[in-house]
Amino acid sequence: MTTTPDHSVIVVGAGPTGLTLACELAAAGVSCTVLERRLTTSAQSRAMGLYARTLEVLDLRGHADALTAHGRPVGRLHPARGAVVDFTELDTRFPALHVVPQHRTEEVLQKHALELGVTLVRDAEVFGLEQDDSGVTLQVRAGGEEWEETADYVVGCDGAHSAVRELSGIAFRGRTYDLAPVLADVRLRKPPPVDDVVVLAGNGAVMVTVPYGDGLYRVAVARRDRPWTREPVTLEELGELMSLSLGFDPEPYEPAWLARFKIHQRLADHYRTGRVLLAGDAAHLHSPLGGQGLNLGIQDAVNLGWKLAARIQGWAPPGLLDSYEAERRPQAARILKATDRATWMATSPSPALTALRRTALARLLGSRRVRRVAGEAISGLRSDYARRGGGRALRAGQRVPDLTVRRPGAAPVRLYELMRDGRFLLLDLTPAGRAAALGEAWGSRVCPVRVEEPPARLAGLSTLLVRPDGYVAWADGEDDAEGHQDRVRRALLHWCGAEGPTARGAAPAAVRVPERAATEDGAGAAPGPRAASDALAATPYVGEAGEGVWGEGPLEDSEGAWQTDPVGTVGAPETGVPVASAEGAGDAGGAEVVADVRRLGAVEVAHEGTGGVPGPADGAPEPSGAGAPAGEGARKSGGADHGETRRP
């Protein structure tokens, strides 16, 4: 590539992960274009469960309230008869699993992205990729037209069958389960006795039900002795499978959607190769028991966004971009391991193992402490990047709670409200306020705040530097007041680059649907955007695990379709969802709780740290990795579609 790239970043895929990443980049002042094969946001609800930590990271940018307004909070999970995890006991602003249809999630995030200046190009399929030291070139097509797009960096958020991953040569290792879960959005004449998320296992089958709140249920059922088949799903089969777990026929009727899926467990060897990165389902697929796929993807995006922006703008510390994989891949690996183990235990044909699982869950979750730990693990509140050990004080890599703080002469405010624009947050907890005054020199990248009467959770600290994704970058608790300012300066120089403003540009909002040449059936017709009705035609394809049929045009896997090969789809209303099981149903963390019933302390496995990042000798934590020269890629994008504004 010899010319200057047209874009700073191209994100491929406009599902929740891709749109979240686009919002993060645009909020940081990086011009961003999103390429998406679909004409519109998904009319289906493949991924529909948002856990507490996912909503917290979305709340950092002000997205969460608009999403919860469209969803239904479900306060409890029943992983077995007699066992319950109560999300309402969690210390978070979002103490529930929020059931939000995916199309609503996409609509909210797309609206925010366009308001921030992201350019969204629909009906655009990537079929070629080349990169060198100066950037990435993508070959893109729509119908009979082909063109090139160039960028400093490209991020594949294009789902299970990621073109970006395949074209960049990143291996996607794993296996396919010999199971064929049956999925449905359906009404039940005899629903489960509780209006919560229910997971029932027995007779070699596992069933998950999630209430939408309007009489409709998401149902996922898998049985060990029912291998993959292309036979369409019937209501009779669904009722039979549900009866194995419930002990009675729930009498399903009025299906909004029925399908059968294969389940894959795969993990990308790397999340980055050169200037190409992966996020969401393009990087990891796992058993749906636990509903963690959508949540992992959104958290990938929030972790990556500020790091990629720092690299492009030239102020990233060495190794920052490599720390994306170092932090996020172990999280995915842990979920893969937990959900795999839970799936095989839950579908065991052994009555003894089923009884043991049920007894162990009931015993473990009878403890309030264990129940809280399990709820935090499932909800992502215990997942962080910190080293093990340490006292009660917050330390590098830990999640920062959304505490309410008081500022001199100002109303109390939540910490997450102070981070809306994607900057670091510097909390000065000392009476003198010298650290906050020092932070003003980094005003474009740091929000300095003096705190009066620090809350108990911040006891023992004098200064806290919070990353844009809501985790601790650096914490100071030393008693040496004379050296305090020097330590603050070193931390700011390390994490936020040199003093002085960095321009934050934003491109004007745009949605483009490239014109398509006339098809053979319509020879002579004027070219124009593809008609929406074309996208609803069932299109056969051959995927990694075999053949399948999708109900909406070419394979739609921008997010949530991490399990391939649905067949026998019935209808495609707004609430229908081709997903391998209820997103947000089940229990990844809770699965680990009972993975080894011989150890009552096994619940702690659910929130093991990921190893964190190493820190330099002067106390400012430093991400691992090789890094890149400061300023690499710090060019402004050109073109009329990419204007620039500056944050005051």
Side-chain angles (χ1 to χ4, degrees):
M1 183 184 300
T2 57
T3 60
T4 300
D6 298 323
H7 314 283
S8 291
V9 180
I10 292 177
V11 175
V12 181
T17 296
L19 290 170
T20 300
L21 178 59
C23 289
E24 290 295 297
L25 291 167
V30 173
S31 64
C32 177
T33 294
V34 180
L35 304 179
E36 169 57 53
R37 289 191 301 182
R38 296 171 298 163
L39 272 174
T40 63
T41 57
S42 176
Q44 303 167 329
S45 180
R46 295 163 301 189
M48 37 72 77
L50 296 172
Y51 283 117
R53 183 55 186 162
T54 303
L55 286 168
E56 284 188 348
V57 298
L58 290 170
D59 193 33
L60 289 169
R61 306 295 180 264
H63 308 318
D65 288 343
L67 288 168
T68 57
H70 291 299
R72 182 197 183 222
V74 178
R76 298 191 300 176
L77 160 70
H78 299 262
R81 297 182 192 276
V84 63
V85 175
D86 194 341
F87 297 125
T88 64
E89 298 176 346
L90 302 180
D91 183 15
T92 175
R93 187 167 175 251
F94 307 100
L97 167 69
H98 281 77
V99 180
V100 184
Q102 182 176 327
H103 71 278
R104 293 294 186 193
T105 301
E106 290 186 7
E107 288 168 0
V108 167
L109 293 173
Q110 177 177 304
K111 179 176 182 293
H112 279 267
L114 296 178
E115 289 172 349
L116 288 165
V118 172
T119 297
L120 174 59
V121 184
R122 290 196 172 274
D123 196 25
E125 179 184 5
V126 173
F127 69 93
L129 181 153
E130 295 180 356
Q131 67 167 311
D132 57 26
D133 292 341
S134 63
V136 187
T137 298
L138 296 178
Q139 282 78 47
V140 187
R141 65 185 166 211
E145 297 185 7
E146 297 182 358
W147 69 95
E148 288 187 349
E149 300 275 4
T150 59
D152 292 317
Y153 289 89
V154 167
V155 185
C157 302
D158 47 343
H161 294 271
S162 169
V164 173
R165 185 190 64 239
E166 294 179 4
L167 291 168
S168 62
I170 298 176
F172 201 39
R173 303 180 195 278
R175 62 187 177 84
T176 301
Y177 288 73
D178 190 21
L179 294 171
V182 170
L183 307 170
D185 280 353
V186 67
R187 300 186 184 278
L188 305 174
R189 290 191 173 88
K190 298 178 181 179
V194 292
D195 200 28
D196 301 319
V197 178
V198 175
V199 182
L200 291 175
N203 301 309
V206 60
M207 180 196 72
V208 181
T209 60
V210 184
Y212 279 102
D214 56 2
L216 198 67
Y217 284 80
R218 163 64 54 79
V219 177
V221 191
R223 184 170 173 175
R224 183 76 69 88
D225 62 358
R226 295 275 181 102
W228 173 256
T229 175
R230 290 185 57 82
E231 291 298 319
V233 181
T234 64
L235 281 175
E236 291 73 20
E237 180 185 6
L238 178 63
E240 174 194 345
L241 289 171
M242 293 183 71
S243 299
L244 290 173
S245 298
L246 283 170
F248 62 87
D249 185 358
E251 299 181 16
Y253 71 104
E254 292 185 7
W257 177 81
L258 292 168
R260 201 185 303 274
F261 276 79
K262 279 191 173 180
I263 304 175
H264 301 291
Q265 176 174 287
R266 301 185 187 278
L267 183 63
D269 278 7
H270 299 286
Y271 282 19
R272 177 190 176 197
T273 175
R275 292 175 173 270
V276 177
L277 300 103
L278 303 176
D281 292 345
H284 43 72
L285 307 176
H286 57 83
S287 167
L289 194 61
Q292 297 287 346
L294 171 63
N295 295 269
L296 277 174
I298 289 176
Q299 292 180 50
D300 286 347
V302 177
N303 183 288
L304 174 60
W306 68 276
K307 296 176 179 179
L308 186 53
R311 177 66 170 267
I312 288 171
Q313 292 171 339
W315 55 268
L320 183 67
L321 193 54
D322 287 329
S323 76
Y324 163 61
E325 177 179 323
E327 291 182 340
R328 294 305 302 166
R329 193 174 184 276
Q331 298 279 354
R334 180 178 61 83
I335 294 298
L336 262 69
K337 182 179 179 180
T339 55
D340 178 61
R341 189 164 50 200
T343 299
W344 288 113
M345 288 189 68
T347 58
S348 171
S350 168
L353 184 58
T354 298
L356 186 60
R357 173 185 178 274
R358 185 182 305 129
T359 301
L361 274 171
R363 180 180 177 185
L364 284 167
L365 295 174
S367 162
R368 182 180 179 87
R369 175 183 176 276
V370 172
R371 191 165 58 245
R372 175 181 57 80
V373 170
E376 290 174 347
I378 296 166
S379 298
L381 299 178
R382 298 184 79 88
S383 296
D384 58 36
Y385 315 120
R387 294 191 181 109
R388 287 181 171 274
R392 297 186 60 188
L394 289 172
R395 62 191 190 280
Q398 283 192 315
R399 160 186 168 261
V400 176
D402 187 17
L403 303 170
T404 298
V405 296
R406 300 181 62 87
R407 298 165 295 169
V413 63
R414 293 189 296 113
L415 294 185
Y416 289 8
E417 291 179 301
L418 295 170
M419 301 181 70
R420 291 288 191 254
D421 60 4
R423 290 183 292 169
F424 280 79
L425 179 64
L426 178 66
L427 296 179
D428 187 340
L429 310 174
T430 65
R434 295 191 182 93
L438 186 64
E440 294 289 349
W442 283 264
S444 66
R445 301 187 291 281
V446 177
C447 173
V449 175
R450 288 185 60 190
V451 177
E452 288 186 334
E453 301 176 6
R457 190 68 180 86
L458 301 180
L461 298 176
S462 62
T463 315
L464 190 69
L465 183 63
V466 185
R467 299 171 7 170
D469 58 355
Y471 294 88
V472 178
W474 174 76
D476 183 67
E478 296 184 31
D479 295 330
D480 177 17
E482 292 185 2
H484 180 230
Q485 283 185 279
D486 287 339
R487 294 193 299 274
V488 172
R489 182 184 296 278
R490 288 199 304 270
L492 289 171
L493 286 170
H494 172 77
W495 281 100
C496 308
E499 300 153 271
T502 295
R504 291 194 166 205
V511 178
R512 304 203 312 267
V513 178
E515 292 187 347
R516 300 183 61 167
T519 62
E520 292 182 3
D521 292 337
R530 184 174 66 180
S533 58
D534 291 347
L536 301 179
T539 303
Y541 74 99
V542 177
E544 291 176 345
E547 297 180 351
V549 177
W550 281 80
E552 187 171 344
L555 178 63
E556 204 183 302
D557 58 8
S558 292
E559 193 65 39
W562 21 258
Q563 278 54 275
T564 63
D565 309 321
V567 297
T569 300
V570 178
E574 260 192 8
T575 53
V577 187
V579 73
S581 82
E583 276 285 353
D587 157 20
E592 291 184 314
V593 171
V594 294
D596 186 349
V597 296
R598 295 168 299 179
R599 295 189 300 121
L600 294 183
V603 67
E604 296 296 338
V605 177
H607 60 276
E608 288 182 353
T610 61
V613 293
D618 66 3
E622 179 178 0
S624 59
E632 179 180 343
R635 59 172 67 91
K636 293 184 176 66
S637 60
D641 288 335
H642 299 275
E644 177 176 300
T645 60
R646 293 177 184 266
R647 189 184 60 77

